[in-house]
Amino acid sequence: MAVAEDVCTETTGATALGVPAASAMAVSTAAQEVGLKRGEFAIAVHLGLIRLMVPRDGGRPMVGRDEIERLRSQDGFPEALRERVRTVGTAEGARRLGISPDRFTRFARAGCLTPTTFYLNRYRAIVWLYLADELTGFAAREPQLLTGRSPGWLRDRLEGGADCRAGNWRSRRVERLLSLTEDPWARVAVLADTLDPVQLAEVVDDPYERAYVARLRPEPAFGPTGPVWARETMAHLMRADEPDELLWRRVNLIMELDNAREVRPAPRPGGDRRAIPSPGSERAPAPDPRGDADADADARSRSRSRSGPESDLVPGVPSSVPPSPCPGPGPVHAPTGAAEPVVGLLARIGLRRRTSRETNRRQSPPRRATFGE
């Protein structure tokens, strides 16, 4: 049983309005009104041919009746609309281009053709689908590729094991979703889908921000349909898997996240603002004798390290700042009570921390044990 991928009809950027019941209809009803199947309607929304509306009080997206009338007033309706969203597989696409299915697949793997959607067959294998209009345009632009021997750059790319189908589909989907919205946190949510949870936590280190982004992630217009393993396949395809793409997605997510933080902070428990307690507004905790003893011992230890010969063991590190162990893959936080350092772009995407660790490892001599340790 084939499971169609209709999750590319995200409502990110759809008009958020108070939608009266008399002026809008459900997505399934709208698909019947314009004579499109579920998959065709999903592609039309994804391509921007049909605009959805989201009620202000939440709920499923809807389609305005004026939008249906606009579609009906177009020339050639409904055949013209249906032709614009028509998709073909490898066999039919090869027939349209006048080439063999094997050559068609080579073009797609090399990145010459970009799939617009996919479905899973009975063996749970991914079957890519392509817009028929785009194949016609490709044949008109690149007629030399359809006949004769393939060029050297294409052969080299395929011999290197390249398969650009998932990456091109992912890029098209992300760019389309970003073009549908101006909300900064919604744009962060779109880019967050391209990273796995571990990498997302490295970039978005605030758990409240991650929870807010998770609520804003785009959802399919028809709701989450299909079995769980089909949705898991969709989530897997959405994540970048090549080093260059991973770096590119992380950089873009960092820039969008910085912009979103400047526009408005993510909501937090107890209010949308970060509450900073004023002095005396909270009851001071009772002093802990064990904590005071530990603090005194720590202070004496730091005093001995500043006065003793150990302060010269690590070159380039001030004596007032004790050398810290190599940081892990997570974000680096400032010590309690100190000003939080400004973290650069390279450090936030995980490059500068690795470089710093390698530099310190090469420059720092092995630490000598002092008497009494």
Side-chain angles (χ1 to χ4, degrees):
M1 177 180 179
V3 180
E5 182 267 318
D6 62 352
V7 74
C8 61
T9 60
E10 291 80 358
T11 59
T12 300
T15 308
L17 299 172
V19 184
S23 61
M25 64 185 69
V27 174
S28 57
T29 304
Q32 297 176 359
E33 290 287 335
V34 297
L36 296 180
K37 300 177 182 178
R38 288 172 60 99
E40 294 173 339
F41 190 89
I43 296 174
V45 174
H46 178 66
L47 297 178
L49 303 179
I50 301 177
R51 188 71 175 177
L52 301 183
M53 297 187 302
V54 180
R56 282 176 181 161
D57 56 352
R60 292 290 180 85
M62 307 184 75
V63 181
R65 295 188 180 274
D66 55 346
E67 181 71 4
I68 300 299
E69 296 301 327
R70 183 187 66 84
L71 294 172
R72 287 176 172 174
S73 62
Q74 294 178 351
D75 295 338
F77 177 84
E79 288 77 12
L81 177 61
R82 192 177 297 116
E83 185 63 26
R84 295 180 67 180
V85 298
R86 183 182 178 188
T87 58
V88 296
T90 299
E92 186 174 353
R95 285 195 298 268
R96 278 178 167 261
L97 298 181
I99 58 178
S100 65
D102 180 68
R103 189 161 193 167
F104 184 94
T105 302
R106 289 168 59 87
F107 285 158
R109 292 174 62 91
C112 301
L113 305 174
T114 300
T116 190
T117 186
F118 68 90
Y119 69 90
L120 303 179
N121 61 15
R122 68 181 67 183
Y123 306 106
R124 302 187 183 182
I126 299 174
V127 179
W128 296 105
L129 299 177
Y130 307 82
L131 284 175
D133 281 350
E134 290 188 354
L135 297 183
T136 303
F138 173 76
R141 292 190 312 269
E142 306 289 345
Q144 70 279 2
L145 290 179
L146 304 180
T147 58
R149 186 187 175 108
S150 299
W153 62 266
L154 192 147
R155 295 196 304 269
D156 294 341
R157 186 175 298 180
L158 294 176
E159 290 174 359
D163 190 350
C164 303
R165 289 176 293 184
N168 286 348
W169 168 82
R170 186 163 47 244
S171 297
R172 161 180 278 182
R173 180 176 179 269
V174 169
E175 292 302 322
R176 177 59 192 166
L177 292 177
L178 291 178
S179 68
L180 287 175
T181 181
E182 295 296 334
D183 181 77
W185 284 104
R187 296 173 65 87
V188 171
V190 171
L191 294 172
D193 268 351
T194 62
L195 299 179
D196 60 54
V198 175
Q199 297 190 46
L200 180 61
E202 292 179 359
V203 178
V204 188
D205 55 351
D206 191 327
Y208 295 111
E209 290 179 344
R210 291 200 301 273
Y212 185 47
V213 168
R215 293 199 301 268
L216 295 178
R217 282 178 176 172
E219 293 291 340
F222 290 97
T225 58
V228 175
W229 54 266
R231 296 196 294 269
E232 291 176 350
T233 301
M234 174 67 184
H236 176 73
L237 286 176
M238 265 307 300
R239 294 170 183 169
D241 52 3
E242 294 293 334
D244 292 341
E245 185 184 2
L246 282 171
L247 178 62
W248 176 250
R249 298 301 179 194
R250 289 175 69 118
V251 169
N252 280 270
L253 178 57
I254 289 172
M255 293 189 294
E256 292 289 350
L257 181 62
D258 290 341
N259 179 59
R261 287 169 174 169
E262 292 179 0
V263 173
R264 70 176 186 273
R268 291 173 175 272
D272 293 341
R273 296 183 303 171
R274 297 186 180 183
I276 303 178
S278 58
S281 61
E282 295 182 357
R283 179 183 300 177
D288 188 355
R290 293 174 300 178
D292 294 341
D294 294 341
D296 293 340
D298 192 18
R300 289 195 299 269
S301 175
R302 287 197 300 268
S303 177
R304 286 196 303 268
S305 65
R306 286 195 296 266
S307 60
E310 317 177 49
S311 57
D312 297 331
L313 292 178
V314 182
V317 178
S319 58
S320 60
V321 181
S324 60
C326 295
V332 180
H333 298 285
T336 304
E340 185 173 354
V342 178
V343 182
L345 178 62
L346 292 179
R348 294 173 65 184
I349 60 179
L351 294 182
R352 180 165 294 173
R353 282 198 297 272
R354 289 194 295 269
T355 305
S356 301
R357 288 198 297 267
E358 294 174 359
T359 303
N360 292 336
R361 191 179 300 113
R362 290 194 300 266
Q363 293 181 354
S364 300
R367 188 175 183 273
R368 298 191 298 271
T370 58
F371 178 77
E373 288 189 340

